[in-house]
């Protein structure tokens, strides 16, 4: 039995069941899209209960509602994120930008090491002798860029 024949036979009930299936599918494949398509299908089913609609109109209503609900979700809700009280969590190197430290080892051929806190970091910058004060000006993954102060 095709989808069109199913909708023509069961009408509004097919939209309600399809909406519930889409909502259940969101539990298995999370991402936010199936939830809004399920809401659109349920609203289409409720409209089909109240007003006798042709199957083509029902598909048009579902399509418009599906696009609108997903667009609103992307525009309004998905863009909102809670501000973190720890913005550098999992970005340890970036938290050191702006700090100043004294070189324990010299920078030779553009590379060296610098102890910060309980870690030793690889650094890059101009060749400098040990004991020179440097400022961290950038980070590339686990490599800190420094310049002389």
């Amino acid at each position: 039995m095709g989808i069109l024949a199913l909708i023509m036979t069961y009408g509004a009930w097919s939209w309600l069941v399809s909406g519930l299936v889409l909502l259940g599918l969101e539990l298995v494949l999370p991402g936010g899209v199936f939830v809004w398509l399920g809401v659109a299908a349920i609203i289409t089913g409720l409209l089909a209960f109240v007003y006798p609609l042709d199957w083509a109109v029902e598909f048009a209503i579902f399509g418009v509602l599906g696009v609108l609900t997903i667009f609103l979700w992307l525009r309004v809700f998905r863009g909102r994120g809670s501000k973190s009280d720890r913005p550098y969590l999992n970005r340890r190197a970036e938290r050191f930008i702006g700090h100043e430290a004294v070189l324990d080892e010299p920078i030779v051929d553009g590379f060296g090491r610098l102890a910060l806190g309980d870690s030793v970091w690889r650094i890059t910058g101009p060749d400098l002798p040990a004991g020179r004060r440097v400022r961290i000006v950038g980070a590339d993954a686990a490599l800190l860029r420094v310049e002389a102060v």
Side-chain angles (χ1 to χ4, degrees):
M1 181 181 278
I3 293 176
L4 185 57
L6 179 73
I7 290 173
M8 290 174 59
T9 304
Y10 295 107
W13 285 108
S14 62
W15 287 109
L16 292 175
V17 169
S18 298
L20 292 174
V21 167
L22 285 167
L23 290 176
L25 196 58
E26 180 67 29
L27 295 173
V28 177
L29 302 169
V33 175
F34 292 119
V35 127
W36 299 111
L37 290 176
V39 167
I42 289 173
I43 292 172
T44 302
L46 293 175
L47 285 174
F49 268 126
V50 175
Y51 303 106
L53 300 171
D54 188 34
W55 65 268
V57 175
E58 290 176 2
F59 270 107
I61 290 172
F62 171 71
V64 169
L65 285 174
V67 169
L68 281 176
T69 55
I70 291 173
F71 177 75
L72 287 174
W73 172 65
L74 289 174
R75 214 31 150 180
V76 177
F77 298 112
R78 191 168 188 189
R80 291 184 183 174
S82 60
K83 296 292 182 186
S84 174
D85 60 337
R86 298 177 67 188
Y88 294 119
L89 184 66
N90 295 330
R91 298 186 325 193
R92 291 183 58 208
E94 292 178 24
R95 100 173 75 163
F96 292 117
I97 294 175
H99 283 75
E100 293 184 6
V102 177
L103 290 175
D104 296 330
E105 300 176 17
I107 299 176
V108 180
D109 294 328
F111 292 98
R113 296 182 186 273
L114 179 65
L116 292 171
D118 61 350
S119 301
V120 176
W121 292 82
R122 285 197 49 170
I123 58 173
T124 183
D127 289 351
L128 297 170
R132 183 75 188 262
R133 192 156 188 78
V134 294
R135 177 180 296 123
I136 300 166
V137 294
D140 295 320
L143 182 67
L144 300 175
R145 289 187 311 251
V146 299
E147 64 182 21
V149 175

